[in-house]
Amino acid sequence: MSCIYDLVKNQDTYGADIQQSVLEVARSMVDRNIGAVPVLREGMLVGVFSERDLMRRVVVEGHDPARTRVGDVMTVDPLTVSPHEDMETCRFLMRRHGFRHLLICEAGQLKGMVSMRDILLHDLSEKDDEVRMMRAYIHSVP
């Protein structure tokens, strides 16, 4: 079984600085078509900012996104997993907590972020491989 970091090790992970405005971060999220970003202070993970945070803590509260710092409305102390964590555990954690994104960290250092979409695409790819192997077996049996 492969570890969770294998899914994202070749991807660049966009991280927001804690002092950036919500508007700036939201624009970056739209440009990159992502639903959550890790928030960093001097390169170390301090939180995560998601579409849910934007709706609950900015829009509904009536804050000006251009004047609100992402550090003031992010989710602090987010759940993280080790780069060596197995995918089944990550899938369970995401389902249990209602997350669509999970941060991968080692000693406070961000290594990547995996989305439920990443995991589902991996699972589909594995199932496609299994189906191909079964079909080959069926056609090879006399």
Side-chain angles (χ1 to χ4, degrees):
M1 183 182 289
S2 55
C3 64
I4 197 67
Y5 186 64
D6 290 340
L7 291 183
V8 297
K9 65 183 174 189
N10 296 322
Q11 296 177 5
D12 289 330
T13 301
Y14 167 72
D17 184 87
I18 195 166
Q19 293 300 320
Q20 282 183 278
S21 73
V22 167
L23 182 60
E24 191 178 0
V25 173
R27 283 183 175 149
S28 293
M29 290 168 70
V30 169
D31 291 345
R32 291 170 174 81
N33 195 31
I34 54 178
V37 297
V39 180
L40 309 170
R41 178 187 296 128
E42 297 174 9
M44 298 299 283
L45 181 70
V46 292
V48 63
F49 182 73
S50 67
E51 293 168 330
R52 189 174 294 161
D53 294 322
L54 176 63
M55 295 305 292
R56 286 184 178 170
R57 298 180 179 155
V58 179
V59 174
V60 171
E61 296 290 324
H63 295 293
D64 179 356
R67 296 178 189 263
T68 304
R69 299 286 159 223
V70 74
D72 296 332
V73 291
M74 68 184 180
T75 298
V76 296
D77 195 27
L79 178 69
T80 64
V81 294
S82 155
H84 309 290
E85 194 65 67
D86 64 85
M87 283 189 233
E88 186 58 37
T89 299
C90 294
R91 191 181 300 109
F92 169 78
L93 289 170
M94 293 170 86
R95 216 177 20 242
R96 180 176 186 207
H97 296 285
F99 299 156
R100 289 180 290 156
H101 302 88
L102 195 54
L103 296 158
I104 303 168
C105 290
E106 196 164 52
Q109 188 72 36
L110 179 68
K111 297 293 184 184
M113 178 181 257
V114 67
S115 69
M116 185 57 83
R117 179 186 302 162
D118 295 327
I119 292 173
L120 290 173
L121 290 174
H122 173 267
D123 290 348
L124 283 173
S125 177
E126 278 191 346
K127 297 299 177 203
D128 284 346
D129 291 344
E130 288 176 24
V131 167
R132 271 193 290 283
M133 287 175 25
M134 292 174 87
R135 284 184 178 155
Y137 174 75
I138 290 169
H139 294 300
S140 70
V141 174

